[in-house]
Amino acid sequence: MMITSLEAELPFYFGEDAELFGLFHAVGGPARRAVLLCPPLGQDHIRCHRLYRQLANALAGEGVPALRFDYYGTGDSAGDSADVDWSRCVADIATAADELRRRSGADRVIAFGARLGGSMASAAATDARFAGLVIWDPVFDGASYVSRLDAMQSALRQDKQRFMRPRSAADVAEQWLGFATSERLRRQVGELRLAPTAVPTLVLDSLDGVPDSGWRDRGDTQVRRLEPPAPWDDLNRLEVAILSHPLIQTVTGHVRVAA
Amino acid sequence: MTREQAFRFGRARHLVGIAGVPDDTSATVGVIVLNAGLVHRIGPFRLHVEMTRRLNASGYPTLRFDLSTLGDSGSSGESQTKVQQVNADVDDAMRLLGQQAGCSRFVLIGLCSGAQNAHSVACSDNKVVGAVFLDGYAYRTFGYRIRHYIPRLFDGERWRRALKRSRNQQVAATRSPEPVFAVAPSPQAVVRTDLAGMIERGMRLSLIYSGGISNYFNHSRQFRECFGSVVSHPYVSTSFLRESDHTYILTGDRHRLLDNIEHWIASNFPIVKAGTRS
């Protein structure tokens, strides 16, 4: 029997010292597979919150349990924004995957992630024993991503729509678009060069950003175009939610036939 | 030490929130933080997480939660006006925090639409003894217009840009058209009366407005221009954070805001050690 009430969305804390916040979307019966939704970082996380909830509900509606969660230092999880660490995020994904297996009873877990969430899900694929990956506009080249965030942060301090007067460089230092950022995370993201894994992967590309080499023409990797382009890097839409009905349809359709 | 707990609660178990209750709390007020616009309970740039944890560290129990249909909360399924729904949701939130922390009086904090919702509840619920309105109700006053337009009259660069725009007939918007965190206006006279009523009931109020709403609020004097003598009452505190934007995107601005709120709460609702009452 399918659970359709709000009772099926259970918020809780899990992991070592119960530091991680999660929200489990249960289904009424046994499940063969489940989906772990790995959020992006920073403002992308907030912008995607609604979409992730819609996706989790859509999956649960098809009988696929799903878990949404926040990395350490993000969302409702313990830790400060400045504590966000790439390695810890990747470890948190593996912890969350095990939690999802425990709660759902399904051993086959597929990961979904947008932007850095997709990149980190790929990095965690082996440790988390993912049966598949669906990654939406993942960050392939960390160095250029860091440059883009720096440029947006620099433009932010001159934003006349936001501030009565331009802010100093010191005012905007050590932050990316609203979130304190450590030098460590900056270096970790800057070193990112996303490579395909051995796990079957669907890349959903709305930015025309998939590198020519490595990602195409691989048996275990599909690249699919997703329209319309998501406005990830538009400073004017920084506080506007990212929503995409095509994304939900594509992911649920893929999970339906996968595994 | 505070451990946060996640709850599904409410009259239809439709609400989701995070309660933080300090181990050794002796506070008799709990602090409840409402959604800012459509952002889920963590707040813009995680403002509400930083705020509640800061207050927990000072000894205050807190709850940040999503109102009906926002964030992770669903609909109660009832047929209610927006105001009825908000009042009922906050009542559910007060009941939960009361059960968890033993408090029976509450301070509400809200930014923009959250301030509007806090205002609405504060008007009618005696359990609310304090409120922090962040970029709440405000009105373009005569003083606002003087401060806004006079400097522009003598700004040659601005005239040049305006003439150029006119020549080029450039009307393409560079901003997205979506309204973000918009607050529907409520009549100024009604809001004045509401605030006076709150003060009469003994409520403490903090009005903190930012430079991010400079399209309708541009000086600390405007508090009095908008709301009259009520803002001079000793129960009312006003701050105009000119440098900050509407959602406190910069970490330094957030810290200053949180300093302000923490100080105001500690001054108005001090935690009194065992043997006395706060």
Side-chain angles (χ1 to χ4, degrees), chain A residues 5 17 41 53 71 119 162 165 169 182-183 195 212 234 257:
Chain A
S5 75
D17 294 329
L41 294 180
R53 184 180 180 208
Y71 311 108
S119 309
R162 187 175 285 278
R165 292 197 177 85
S182 68
E183 193 54 42
D212 289 334
D234 183 351
V257 298

Side-chain angles (χ1 to χ4, degrees), chain B residues 79-249:
Chain B
S79 177
Q80 292 179 315
T81 65
K82 179 75 192 309
V83 169
Q84 288 171 333
Q85 171 241 301
V86 168
N87 288 0
D89 286 353
V90 176
D91 191 57
D92 286 342
M94 291 191 283
R95 185 169 294 116
L96 174 72
L97 190 55
Q99 288 164 354
Q100 297 301 314
C103 48
S104 54
R105 304 185 304 152
F106 300 90
V107 174
L108 304 182
I109 303 179
L111 167 63
C112 200
S113 67
Q116 185 184 26
N117 289 331
H119 180 109
S120 159
V121 178
C123 280
S124 57
D125 196 321
N126 289 329
K127 296 190 294 297
V128 180
V129 293
V132 180
F133 301 133
L134 302 171
D135 288 352
Y137 288 113
Y139 306 88
R140 287 193 187 101
T141 58
F142 179 71
Y144 168 88
R145 290 183 170 86
I146 295 287
R147 293 185 292 272
H148 182 78
Y149 290 113
I150 294 293
R152 284 163 171 74
L153 281 175
F154 301 101
D155 183 343
E157 176 62 19
R158 187 173 293 273
W159 280 106
R160 193 188 63 75
R161 284 201 306 271
L163 288 168
K164 187 178 176 187
R165 267 202 305 276
S166 173
R167 276 201 302 272
N168 295 339
Q169 294 290 302
Q170 286 180 343
V171 291
T174 55
R175 286 267 148 189
S176 65
E178 293 91 340
V180 180
F181 308 133
V183 172
S186 189
Q188 187 170 359
V190 171
V191 171
R192 272 188 186 215
T193 305
D194 288 347
L195 294 177
M198 291 177 203
I199 296 306
E200 208 166 285
R201 274 174 34 214
M203 271 187 68
R204 306 312 203 251
L205 300 177
S206 172
L207 282 63
I208 305 176
Y209 288 24
S210 74
I213 55 170
S214 61
N215 56 330
Y216 59 89
F217 193 96
N218 59 9
H219 198 280
S220 55
R221 278 200 292 272
Q222 201 170 335
F223 286 115
R224 191 176 177 88
E225 293 166 3
C226 286
F227 306 119
S229 59
V230 71
V231 299
S232 303
H233 193 282
Y235 287 179
V236 180
S237 159
T238 60
S239 305
F240 178 47
L241 308 182
R242 171 186 291 273
E243 282 221 313
S244 302
D245 67 318
H246 181 48
T247 47
Y248 297 89
I249 193 170

Side-chain angles (χ1 to χ4, degrees), chain B residues 42-110:
Chain B
I42 71 169
F45 314 112
R46 226 173 166 225
L47 170 67
H48 297 174
V49 175
E50 294 175 10
M51 185 186 295
T52 48
R53 289 178 183 172
R54 173 89 80 100
L55 293 173
N56 292 154
S58 298
Y60 295 93
T62 63
L63 178 71
R64 56 179 187 271
F65 82 106
D66 293 319
L67 291 163
S68 294
T69 72
L70 297 178
D72 291 316
S73 291
S75 164
S76 68
E78 300 160 305
S79 177
Q80 292 179 315
T81 65
K82 179 75 192 309
V83 169
Q84 288 171 333
Q85 171 241 301
V86 168
N87 288 0
D89 286 353
V90 176
D91 191 57
D92 286 342
M94 291 191 283
R95 185 169 294 116
L96 174 72
L97 190 55
Q99 288 164 354
Q100 297 301 314
C103 48
S104 54
R105 304 185 304 152
F106 300 90
V107 174
L108 304 182
I109 303 179

Side-chain angles (χ1 to χ4, degrees), chain A residues 36 90 93-98 101 107 109 111 121 123-131:
Chain A
L36 179 67
V90 171
I93 289 174
T95 302
D98 286 342
R101 287 187 181 93
D107 191 54
V109 170
T126 304
D127 287 350
R129 297 188 291 118
F130 289 138

Side-chain angles (χ1 to χ4, degrees), chain A residues 13, chain B residues 1-5 18-27 29-33 48-64 97 101 109 262 265 271:
Chain A
Y13 280 91
Chain B
M1 168 87 182
T2 302
R3 182 169 295 284
E4 294 182 330
Q5 277 189 284
I18 306 293
V21 180
D23 286 342
D24 55 351
T25 185
S26 54
V29 294
V31 180
I32 295 176
V33 185
H48 297 174
V49 175
E50 294 175 10
M51 185 186 295
T52 48
R53 289 178 183 172
R54 173 89 80 100
L55 293 173
N56 292 154
S58 298
Y60 295 93
T62 63
L63 178 71
R64 56 179 187 271
L97 190 55
I109 303 179
E262 186 180 16
I265 289 185
I271 293 177

